Amino acid sequence: MLVGAALSFAAGVGLVRFPDLLSRLHTSTKPQILGLLLILVGLGLRLAPEPRVGILLLIALFQILTVPVAGHIAGRVTYRTGRARGDLIAIDELRERLNEDAPDSSRS
C-alpha cells in the first residue's frame, strides 16, 4: 500500500511540475493507475476472506479500462485544438496521419 501511495503522490507532483498538458496527461494516467492497483491489492490482502474483495476487482477492472481511454481522448482533444506545445513533441506521427486523411481540394 505504501508503494501505491508513493506512486499516486508522484503522479500528483508530476501534475504540478510538468510543463505542458500532454506531459501532465502521461503522469496522471500511468503512475496513478499503477498506484491505485497496488493500493487495491493491499486492501485485497487485508480483506482476503471477505466477499468484498470482488468489489475491489471490479474497481480495478473499471479503472484499467477507462483511465487509458480517457487519457487518450483528452490528448487527442488537446492536440486537435492546438493546445499542445509543438516544441516539446519530438515525433509527430499524428500530424502526418491527419494530413493523409485530409480531403484533397485539387481533385474536384
Side-chain angles (χ1 to χ4, degrees):
M1 288 183 76
L2 288 175
V3 174
L7 281 171
S8 296
F9 178 74
V13 169
L15 284 174
V16 175
R17 302 277 306 192
F18 280 1
D20 68 326
L21 187 62
L22 293 177
S23 299
R24 290 179 183 154
L25 280 172
H26 176 77
T27 191
S28 69
T29 55
K30 295 202 182 207
Q32 180 64 34
I33 189 68
L34 184 59
L36 177 69
L37 290 176
L38 288 174
I39 289 172
L40 290 175
V41 166
L43 280 171
L45 292 174
R46 179 111 169 130
L47 299 172
E50 294 186 27
R52 288 186 276 180
V53 175
I55 294 174
L56 296 177
L57 291 173
L58 289 175
I59 292 170
L61 180 67
F62 183 73
Q63 290 297 310
I64 288 171
L65 293 176
T66 59
V67 170
V69 173
H72 179 78
I73 291 171
R76 277 283 182 119
V77 168
T78 300
Y79 185 86
R80 286 180 181 244
T81 58
R83 296 178 192 259
R85 288 181 50 187
D87 60 329
L88 295 176
I89 299 175
I91 299 172
D92 194 356
E93 294 174 354
L94 185 57
R95 179 175 306 236
E96 297 167 6
R97 178 91 182 233
L98 291 175
N99 288 339
E100 289 175 2
D101 292 343
D104 189 10
S105 60
S106 64
R107 290 185 193 173
S108 40

